[in-house]
Structures are given as C-alpha cells and as structure tokens.
Amino acid sequence: MTRPAPITAEERALRPAPWVRTRLRAAPLTVLLGAALAFVAVLLAAALPRAVDRGADQALRSFLHDQGPGPTSLFASATGRGGPMTPQDLDSVRAALAARTGGAFRIAPSGSVHGAVGVKPRALANPGLARPEGIDPQLSLTHLPEAAAHTTLVAGRWPDGGEPGGPLPVALSRSASETLRAPLGTVLESAPGISGAQRAEVVGLYDAADPEDVYWTDLPCLTKACETRTRDTLPKVFWQTSAVVGADGLDRIAPWGEGIEYFWRLPVDTGVLRADLLPGVSREIAAFVTGRTASELSLAVERPDLRIRSRLPELFAQAEARQQGVAPLAAIGPAGVAGVAAVVFCLAAALTGDRREAELRLLSARGGSRRSLVRRLLAEGALTVLPAAALATWLALRLLPAPRPAASLTAAAAVTLLALLAFPVRAFVLLSAPRPPSPRRRLIGELLVLAATAAAVVEVRRRGVVTSAGLDPLLVAAPLLLALSGALLLARLQPALVGALAGAAGRRPGLVGFLGLARAARGSGRGRPSVLPLIALLLAVTTGGFGATVLGSVDAARLQVARQAVGGDAQIAAPLGDVLTPELIRAASELPGVGTSVAAWVEEDAFVFGTDRGSPQVTVVVVDPVAYAALARTVGRGGFDPALLAAGGPGEPVPALFSSDVVSQAGDRAYRLRVRGEELQVRAAAVVDGTPALSGGGAGTLVLPADPTVALTPRVSSPNRWFGTGALDADRLRQVVRAGTPAAAAEHVLVRTSADAVAKLGADPLQHSAGRLFWAAVAGAAGFALLAVLLTLMRAAPDRAALLARLRTMGLRPRQGVALILAESLPQALVAAVGGGLVAAAAVALLGPAVDLSALVGAQVPAGLRFTARPVLTQALGLAALVAAAVLAEAAISGRRQISTELRAGDQR
C-alpha cells in the first residue's frame, strides 16, 4: 500500500485556516468576556438550587432537633395484660423493631432505651423520710437493662431478685437518696394498696454518667428526686422518684406498681433526614404507628397489645407546611436573577450581532448558507461557553456539597444552552429576509404579557402565595410579570417623556443637553430605544424592592409578636404572691432608652358577676390610664382613650376596660367584681381586644384605673408587674433587678425583653436561609442589570463615537462630550429607577394582602405586607446610583478614546 506524500510547507500555507481558530484569535478579549459571562451565570444557576437544598435540610434538622428526643422517637409499649415478659423478650422485641428501620429513616446511634415500669407510684410510709408539707414521698420501680452502661455505682451493689418473701432489692440515685433521707440499706415500706403493703431495700446508689444524656429523656425521676405538687385547690409539695430493679426482679414490679408497662423508645436520627425525602419518611413512620408495619410487628413478636406511637408524622407535617410557606417567597429572588440574566444574554447577542452583521452578510452573499453559518457560530460558542460552564458547574458542586445534584445540573444546563444559542439565534434572524416593522405584532405581544400579569395577580389574590400543591411558577412569577408589564409601559412612555424634556432643553441656551436627550428619545439613531435594558433594570429594582419589603414586614411582624408576648419591650414580673419594690420600679423607669414606664398590679383570681355569660373568672389589671394607653398603642393590643377611665363621683361604679369575651358592649350597667373576697361595683367603659399585661388570648380581663376609689386590697399600691417600651439594654435591666431585689428572691423574678423574644423567633435556619438567598439574589440581579447597561452603552458606542467626532470638528470640547454621553444614557436609568420603585409599590399593594409571613416570622401572624417606602427607595436609588456611576465611568474612560480613534480613522459611515 502506497503511503500518501507528506504535505509540504507551500501546500500548508495555501490551505485555508480553520474558521473557529481564526475567529477566536481575531477577538480574544470578546472570547474572554463571553466565557466570563457564561462562567458567572452558570455558577449562579448551579449554586442557587444547592443553596436552597442545603438550607431546607438544615432547617428541617434544626426544627426536629429543637423538639427534643422524646417527640422525635418511636415509642412502643405493651401492657402486662398481654402476659409477662422476660428480659430476653424485651431484647427480642427491640431487635424486631430496629430490624424494620433503615429504609427511609434510621435509628440514632445513642438514646435508645427499653425496659419496664410500674403503672403507678407507691407512697412510702417510712417515718424518717423527707416530707416538705406532710405528704408522703412516692416511689416508682423501673427496670432498665442498659442502666449500668449509663451510670456509675457509687455505693453498694446492683440489685438482683432478692429472697422470696423478702424486700425487693433496688438501686436509687445518690441525689434521690440524700433528698429523701433514704441511705444505703434502708427498707422502704409502701402504703397499703390493692396488692397489699410492699417493701423495697436500697442495696445500691448510683450517679448518672451524664444527666443530660438523651437516654434519660422521659424516664421519670431516675437521676434525682422530683418536686411534685398535689392537684388540690391549694397544692402541696411532695417528693417523687424512681428506683432501678434488676432483671431477676422484673416480675415484682407489677405488684408494687399495681400493673406493669413494657416500653421501647427508638430515637430517629434526625441529623440525616432530607427535606426532599420527607414525604417518604412520613409514610414509613405512619406505617410504623398505625399501618401495615405496626400490624406485622404485633404478629412477629406475638404481642397483640403492642402499641407504637410517635409525634413525628405531626412534626413532619409542620415542617412541610413551613417549607411550603417559605419556598414561594424565597424563589422570587432567584427568579428575578434568572430574568435579568436572560436579558443580559440577549443584549450580548445583540451587541455581537451588530458588530459582526457586515461579516455575516458578506459570507452569505458569497454563498454561505444560513445553516452552515449558524453551525460554525455554534462551534465558536461551544469552544468558549462549554469549558466555562463545565468549570462553573464543577466549582458549584464542590463548594456547596449536597446529596441531590439534579436541580443544579438542570439549571446549569439551561443557562449553558441559553449562552450557547443566544448569538446563533440572533445571527439566524439577521440573515433572514428582512421583515417590515409591525406595530400590531408588538401590541399583541404586549397585550399577552398584560393578560398573563392580570391572571397571575388574580390567582395570587384568590389562592394566596402558599398552596398545598407546592411551588406554583405562576404565583412566583407574579412580581416579575408586573415588572415586565411596567417595563413595556415605560418603553411606550419613555420616548414621549424624554422628548418633552428635550423640547424643554432646546428652549434653553446650549445644545449638549438637547442633543443628548433627543438621541435618548429616539434610541441613539437605532429607530427607537431598546426595551431590553429597561426590562433588566425594572426586574432588578422590582425584585429587590418587593423582597426588601417582605423582609421588612417580617422584622416588623416579629417585633410586634415579641411585644405582645412580653407586654412591651421589657417586663419584670414578681413571683406569685410577691410584689415589686418602689425602688426597683423607679430604677427600671430611669434606665436609658425607656420611653413608656407602666407599673401594674395583676391579679388572676377574680370573678365578675352579673354578665350575660354567667360569672366568668377574669384577670384584673390595675394601672395608670395614661401610661397604659401609650403602652397599648405600642404593643398593638387593647388600645383605648385614657379619658374613658376617668373616675366618677363617690358611690358610682368604677369605669373599667372589659375584654370582649366578658361583655359584648360598653354601657352604664353595673357589675360586681370580686377579688380575694372583696367586692367592687364596676361598669364597662369600653370593650377592648385584650391587654398587653397578658400574652396570648382567650382569658377574660378587666383593666381598672389606679385611683384611690379602687380600694380592693392594700396590694394595689404595690405593683407586681412592670412594663416598659423603648431601646432597653436587657443586661442592664437584669442588673437593676438583682440590685433592687433580695438575693433569695432575685432568681425568681422574671425578666423578659422583646429583643430576646425577637432573637428567639429569628433563630430559625429556615428564615436565615431565605434571607441569605434573597440578598444574594439582589446582588446578582444588580450586577446583571449593571452589565445590561454597560452592554447597551457598548452597543451604542460606534454611533455615538461618530457623532462626537463630527461635533469635535465643529468645536465640541471634551468635557461637553462627556456631558453629552451622560445626557443620552442617564434618562433611561432614572426612568427605570422611578418606574421600578412604582412597580415594586404596586406589587406590594396588589400581591401583599395574599402573602402569609407566618413561616418567616416564626409565629402565626395575619396575612399581608406592610408597605414602607424606605426598602423600595433603597433598592431603586441604590441601583440608579450604580448605573449612574457606570455611565460616568464609561463616558470618562471610553468617550475620548473613541473620539480620537474615529478622528484618526475617518468617517466610514
């Protein structure tokens, strides 16, 4: 076989250069900028879904962790009526339960516990035991097979079964032994019961290795003696504890406890749960509790009385509701970034098309088909976009590890496809047969956008932002559709508005302002201004303004909830039956930042007689009317006119504020108020919705003026509550309480502040994730909007340079050239800023009533956004300032160079 002759240098020189390599070498800066744009856009597209997933998982795990190990466990139990169980039976049931896990969820490595406990505690009759108020202490018996692994034996031995007929050996915690005064060797005598009197001997004392270990959760009083109160009208304190029984004494628990209950607690490992797999986990847990798995386990362990319960299905439903409440609001920011980025790619394609239109038409005239040219342009873009997109996707996956890459890869692929096809599609349109402008086609498109916007707004107002079906794209897109409609309307109005300004400038001396405004009105010689930069700016301003309003409303609602829970910005409450000293009240009132100071006497043991609703129990609040009215206005509950509580003459009923659940309307009718055996005639001066002195609702209240006529009890003159508003320092307030209260009582005085309550409400990772996502989206949208303005300036640069070169030959000074560029470019930015602010305000007005902020606030609040101008103005003016700075920089840097280049090259147009 003959080998082909090698290619000579002359033949290699005559061969045409490869298209793609030639084009990439011809414009390296353009190639780098295109790759950088694709890299940033794909990085954001790939990172945002992973950030959302990580935030959702972290919020779910934090929410379940805060519930504690008890509610997040599977708890199985069986009664003694199903027959006795041996220690081996307890272990086998636990193994059977654990064997059915490991699918959608798994058991936590620590915290699992099983055993048996007596149904009822027994009162101990030993005369030497501790009895704080004369009530016998009570003892429960518990068998824990793994107790030795979680305790340290400090005295004696671990119990066994004991001698037949003798006392049952038990082990007691050292703390309980000291509290009850039951040392090692004590024989505890129980009070007679159904099974007769029982005896137990303390043969061992132990300390818990870690009293805070989840192992001891829900195990009654095994690490110490618990202070318990009787359920009498006047409750009395007594001690209650539990003792550990050995395996050989398991069958003796039932006689002591008048029955026995076997239990198994399996804590679910919430640290590995994922938000996207939560429905499957919920179904599997539900099968454990009441479904097929529960039936199969009862048959497998031969215990028909086996019952499994858990709060996990309820907690999962709450977690899903929280996620659904936050998801639409959190998605608005990324949707705005996506819209602005799409506009930027369209502008970049338009700029490249303008620069290469002559080249493409020349190639087409020399025989190149549209298909072949588009294929070559795709090859150019592939070598530029695909490596940058692949690097950005890999970087997002590495920097934000998450278990589910599908959404991230899909978003990255969509942005890559847009970056790859933007310019080829633009070139295909340029090479197509020219079509005359069609105002009707544009009008139809705009009407379709307006119709979609109206439909989205109506759906949001009808259904609300949060739906049970999940994330609805139409509802998420509602603010963006409003921004798009506003941009289209401004695009119609902008030429007329700027033209009017040009006319006004034309009547003044100087041509720079008139010429710049005239060019802005007619689009710098391109027929009409491009609507794409306006859309980008309005999308950025509207997204930022609407999102900032949402976060501002969340902060305001959270503060309102905290104030209603505290009763103001601070509250000091004396222990039950005690009062606050005048020195303490005066010191608290004089703290820096205190606005309103209210001392109150609050009594819950009061009754009202003669109402239409019987004789309800009420809470009486005695306060100064003027200060209390200011407090009620600040808190937003129980507001009234203080003049209504002006006392009448001697012998007349005392005016009072009644809550609506006590009486339905105000009037002069007299009622009898009884407080601690004393009675007073009162009348309903007004009906209010509650009082700041009590958090929550549902409790009847009466507010009386602090007046000499209110002679209920001498304690009225010594308040037991203090409420304050203003910017108080919680630490200084606690120092005042410690200084103004006896040392023994200081730790029992309750100090609460709204700042602490707000911090607690805002500690949810779900809210932090939504806030971080929003601000990241605002930054991304602002960056892309700024890039859209720069691309618009670059697109208009050749025509502007030609004009400036002509004017330079007629005596235009360089400073005037910069002023001309500013006059031409800034009107669009200012119109976009004003229009974006108006559209954001319209979005809040139209969509705000349907927005439920409860998931973001951390408490149930009424639906609706609170419009404030500051967040919207901050976003609009901030973006306008960025755009103005970019225009000024471009004018100062590029203007003179373009003029000089144009003058050297000559006018080729």
Side-chain angles (χ1 to χ4, degrees), residues 502-528:
R507 292 188 290 271
R508 298 177 62 85
L511 293 177
V512 174
F514 166 74
L515 186 58
L517 291 173
R519 284 175 56 80
R522 67 173 187 268
S524 302
R526 292 188 302 274
R528 64 170 180 263

Side-chain angles (χ1 to χ4, degrees), residues 526-672:
R526 292 188 302 274
R528 64 170 180 263
S530 174
V531 73
L532 289 179
L534 199 59
I535 292 175
L537 290 172
L538 255 75
L539 282 175
V541 174
T542 303
T543 301
F546 186 80
T549 301
V550 168
L551 295 184
S553 299
V554 167
D555 293 338
R558 193 176 289 156
L559 177 59
Q560 195 69 13
V561 169
R563 281 177 167 172
Q564 291 183 357
V566 173
D569 289 316
Q571 178 189 156
I572 303 175
L576 183 64
D578 206 345
V579 296
L580 301 177
T581 63
E583 293 78 14
L584 173 59
I585 294 176
R586 183 169 55 255
S589 303
E590 293 174 354
L591 281 174
V594 174
T596 301
S597 174
V598 180
W601 182 73
V602 180
E603 176 58 54
E604 298 179 358
D605 187 16
F607 295 88
V608 177
F609 298 93
T611 69
D612 297 334
R613 301 171 186 178
S615 303
Q617 183 176 0
V618 297
T619 299
V620 175
V621 181
V622 181
V623 291
D624 175 68
V626 176
Y628 177 78
L631 176 69
R633 284 194 302 270
T634 302
V635 174
R637 176 187 290 165
F640 72 104
D641 182 2
L644 294 174
L645 292 186
E652 294 185 4
V654 177
L657 304 178
F658 281 66
S659 61
S660 57
D661 51 357
V662 178
V663 297
S664 57
Q665 60 184 2
D668 294 331
R669 177 181 173 183
Y671 304 93
R672 286 189 301 122

Side-chain angles (χ1 to χ4, degrees), residues 301-316:
V301 301
E302 299 179 352
R303 297 291 302 193
D305 59 337
L306 184 69
R307 297 291 181 266
I308 305 175
R309 64 183 184 272
S310 178
R311 283 193 58 203
L312 279 172
E314 173 190 347
L315 296 178
F316 289 162

